[in-house]
Amino acid sequence: MGARLLSNPLGRALMGAIALLLLLPLPSLAHHPLGGTLPASAFEGFLSGLGHPVIGLDHLAFVVAIGLLAAVSKRGIVIPVAFVLAAMVGTGLHLAEIMLPAAEWVISASVLGAGLLLARPNRPQSAVLAGLAALAGLFHGFAYGEAIFGAEAMPLGAYLTGFTVVQMGIAIAAYTIGRQLTQRSPGFTMNGAGLVICGIGAAFLATTLLSILLPA
């Protein structure tokens, strides 16, 4: 199923990078790049914003997935843009103390769902994918808000800037690689990458379920 992907050097590099994600320890939903310390300056806020989507494997896998989905969709760049904008709104909801239900479940399910969409030969139109990405973005952004809740305005603004920049950077990198692969290899599919991301999402769903059934 992933033969075309693995036959291409760029494809092998992409698969290797995604597979490495599976070797990382599964972090909890609320990630804290500064070790749990609330950012006290614009610089710390920016660093925290840069680090949050990267050290959170669930977030990172989803951002990579939407970048790849954008690469194989017509006018697909709207997909990561919709996600990033919605993530900012989701962070705002957390800061406003507006709770979103079952955030851990939705975030894990979004990773699994993005992987399934990548693995499918036929996908919804870009507008539908952008809507789904925006919905997921609300929950991912809500989780980002945990690391900045209670901060002053300056580090808060820097945090929002940081996670917006890093997410768009990762998504565009995945988009660029995906576009290169599809242009160089006619008939190329993202099946293999989709299955790997499905594995990440399934692992997070299982971890969330186990945390409920077997609380520490």
Side-chain angles (χ1 to χ4, degrees):
M1 184 176 289
R4 288 183 180 272
L5 186 64
L6 295 175
S7 65
N8 188 300
L10 194 58
R12 289 196 296 270
L14 174 62
M15 283 293 291
I18 295 174
L20 280 175
L21 297 177
L22 288 172
L23 300 178
L24 299 174
L26 296 180
S28 62
L29 175 67
H31 315 289
H32 294 278
L34 299 180
T37 303
L38 196 66
S41 66
F43 179 70
E44 289 183 355
F46 186 71
L47 287 182
S48 183
L50 287 178
H52 197 141
V54 176
I55 66 173
L57 176 57
D58 44 359
H59 304 308
L60 178 58
F62 188 81
V63 175
V64 170
I66 61 172
L68 295 177
L69 279 170
V72 293
S73 302
K74 188 176 181 180
R75 294 187 294 274
I77 197 64
V78 299
I79 300 170
V81 170
F83 170 77
V84 169
L85 292 177
M88 295 179 68
V89 174
T91 301
L93 292 177
H94 193 133
L95 297 176
E97 300 187 58
I98 299 174
M99 297 295 104
L100 293 180
E104 293 186 38
W105 290 99
V106 174
I107 291 173
S108 300
S110 72
V111 179
L112 178 60
L116 288 172
L117 287 171
L118 271 176
R120 285 173 53 86
N122 300 311
R123 304 177 187 89
Q125 295 182 347
S126 297
V128 175
L129 292 175
L132 293 173
L135 178 61
L138 290 176
F139 287 85
H140 284 261
F142 180 81
Y144 297 158
E146 180 65 26
I148 198 69
F149 188 81
E152 299 294 331
M154 187 171 293
L156 172 59
Y159 178 82
L160 292 173
T161 301
F163 84 63
T164 299
V165 167
V166 74
Q167 287 185 120
M168 280 305 300
I170 293 169
I172 289 173
Y175 170 82
T176 302
I177 293 173
R179 292 288 288 179
Q180 288 290 322
L181 288 169
T182 55
Q183 290 173 359
R184 292 180 184 180
S185 305
F188 171 81
T189 69
M190 288 287 180
N191 292 353
L195 291 175
V196 173
I197 292 172
C198 278
I200 297 173
F204 267 95
L205 278 173
T207 300
T208 302
L209 179 60
L210 287 174
S211 68
I212 294 174
L213 297 177
L214 302 171

